[in-house]
Amino acid sequence: MAVDTRVGVGISAENGGVESFAEAAGRAALALDARPELACAFAAPANLERAGEGMAAIHERLRPRALVGCGAQGVVGERREVETGGVTVWAASFPGAEVVPFRLEARVARRREPGAGEEAAPRGGLVIVGMPDLEGADAVIVLADPYSFPLEPLLTELSERRPGVPVIGGIASGGPGPAALLEGREPVAGGAVGAVLRGVDVRPLVSQGARPIGPEMAITGAEGNVIHELASRPALERLRQAIDELEPTERALAAEGLLVGIVVDPNKPDYDRGDFLIRGLIGADEETGAVTVGAGVRLGQTVRLQVRDAESAHDDLVHALGRQVAALGRPPAGALLFTCNGRGSQMFGTPGHDAQAVADAFVGAPTAGFFCAGEIGPVGGRNYVHGFTATLAVFPG
């Protein structure tokens, strides 16, 4: 693993185009005082009209060996959040490490006529072009365009190629356009970009912002993403009973929006925050008693109802950050923060919540990132796309 990891961050709250890129990169260069192996840049649409020149300004000031980034509704850096606008640049020096950038494109597989002993390619199947070599990878950073790239097939393929390697990142939120993504020295119109990290210690952290309520229940009947039975009873009936047994305050939260937590890794004696994959309840069938959830499920999995509000989201993030610091024994060298564009002042009432929470826990650790249209990170050893989370790539010193 790399030692002496160093991180520098710079932010410009202005929409000055190339000047904002230059300002943010200059601040990061002063804070880092070393040539970075990786630089990440996130910029609001107003700053992307001359994205190529902005990237040139980053290269001039930082000379990164790899540069990736994307358009963002808002950016995070230097302990603050700019919810609309701005540019932020995060740069890291990983002595002895290898950082390999990549670009991905999703294409529809063409049907071909089979030869002897072959089968025809299926119609409508997706082929991901540009898949990186994951041999020896410690982590993968991914930034994706929401309009042209399906993330789930990518995460499935990455998991099959290299099980257990964390994939961390976010979905661009700056709107469609020719500069939705950034890689190398030029903007990329669509697909996905990222970097494979080798010899780098990376600790993923996913705070899903939800709190478990009610009892744990085993799935005893299911197909796809439909739960037919919970604890050998119709799922809808069992959920209603669980809600009826809640305390009044919890019942009120459930009425505002009920979620379900699905245990991904069953090899634990007890389940706590962070052990559940949080997904929405999509629908219910009164006639059959089945409920549909936003993820595939299987027999034997444990589920528990979940609620999400500002207090729950705050507590969950503080708890997750505290566990990370305890595991490291000291604050990290820095972190990348991918926070949902549904958080910020919209959720917490005041801006800067997630940035400040990270700064309070990771004292002195430079952190930057952006407001995402979806966050990417592992739960229970598997990588997923999330919503309303604060997801971090944490880099120990």
Side-chain angles (χ1 to χ4, degrees):
M1 291 292 179
V3 296
D4 193 29
T5 294
R6 299 165 64 187
V7 176
V9 166
I11 187 171
S12 171
E14 305 301 322
N15 290 325
V18 177
E19 289 76 14
S20 290
F21 275 92
E23 179 187 350
R27 288 176 177 270
L30 286 172
L32 181 59
D33 193 26
R35 185 180 183 186
E37 274 65 42
L38 175 64
C40 298
F42 309 110
N47 293 306
L48 289 172
E49 293 179 2
R50 294 158 60 195
E53 294 176 61
M55 297 172 76
I58 295 174
H59 279 283
E60 180 181 344
R61 287 156 178 79
L62 280 163
R63 298 183 299 115
R65 292 181 172 86
L67 169 62
V68 297
C70 67
Q73 171 187 300
V75 299
V76 180
E78 296 180 350
R79 304 173 64 97
R80 58 177 171 155
E81 299 172 4
V82 181
E83 296 191 13
T84 54
V87 175
T88 193
V89 174
W90 182 96
S93 170
F94 306 124
E98 182 183 20
V99 177
V100 181
F102 59 81
R103 299 183 188 182
L104 303 178
E105 181 183 353
R107 298 178 185 171
V108 176
R110 293 182 179 179
R111 182 181 176 85
R112 58 176 175 80
E113 292 302 319
E118 297 179 334
E119 295 183 0
R123 293 186 184 274
L126 286 176
V127 175
I128 298 174
V129 179
M131 285 291 291
D133 178 11
L134 298 181
E135 186 65 32
D138 292 302
V140 182
I141 304 296
V142 172
L143 307 169
D145 172 43
Y147 305 98
S148 63
F149 194 84
L151 268 171
E152 294 294 352
L154 171 65
L155 296 181
T156 298
E157 188 161 346
L158 290 176
S159 295
E160 290 175 353
R161 292 191 180 199
R162 198 73 177 174
V165 172
V167 181
I168 312 164
I171 299 175
S173 58
L181 302 172
L182 312 172
E183 193 277 312
R185 293 182 176 271
E186 60 186 9
V188 181
V193 300
V196 177
L197 308 183
R198 297 187 180 92
V200 182
D201 190 0
V202 186
R203 310 291 178 93
L205 185 157
V206 180
S207 172
Q208 299 182 83
R211 175 165 60 88
I213 59 172
E216 293 179 358
M217 296 168 281
I219 298 176
T220 52
E223 182 179 2
N225 65 334
V226 178
I227 302 175
H228 295 286
E229 289 186 355
L230 288 169
S232 300
R233 293 169 56 187
L236 185 56
E237 176 186 330
R238 187 67 189 89
L239 289 180
R240 283 174 171 164
Q241 180 186 2
I243 294 169
D244 288 341
E245 294 171 352
L246 295 174
E247 297 179 357
T249 54
E250 292 183 334
R251 200 177 306 130
L253 284 174
E256 293 179 7
L258 193 60
L259 304 165
V260 63
I262 307 163
V263 173
V264 178
D265 180 6
N267 300 314
K268 285 190 171 185
D270 300 296
Y271 307 122
D272 197 359
R273 291 183 175 186
D275 296 324
F276 294 93
L277 174 66
I278 309 301
R279 288 295 185 260
L281 286 165
I282 297 174
D285 189 321
E286 292 282 353
E287 186 174 337
T288 65
V291 295
T292 304
V293 299
V297 293
R298 61 183 184 272
L299 292 178
Q301 280 186 305
T302 298
V303 300
R304 191 175 179 186
L305 294 176
Q306 309 275 329
V307 291
R308 178 186 283 131
D309 62 345
E311 183 179 354
S312 299
H314 170 80
D315 290 345
D316 189 62
L317 179 57
V318 170
H319 179 74
L321 292 167
R323 285 194 304 178
Q324 188 70 262
V325 172
L328 294 176
R330 59 178 179 174
L336 277 168
L337 170 61
F338 305 96
T339 186
C340 180
N341 56 17
R343 291 171 71 99
S345 58
Q346 187 176 171
M347 173 177 281
F348 299 104
T350 57
H353 175 275
D354 289 351
Q356 191 59 53
V358 174
D360 290 344
F362 294 170
V363 179
T367 300
F370 74 104
F371 285 93
C372 310
E375 306 79 59
I376 308 165
V379 173
R382 295 179 58 189
N383 299 300
Y384 297 94
V385 181
H386 307 279
F388 289 96
T389 72
T391 294
L392 292 97
V394 181
F395 298 85

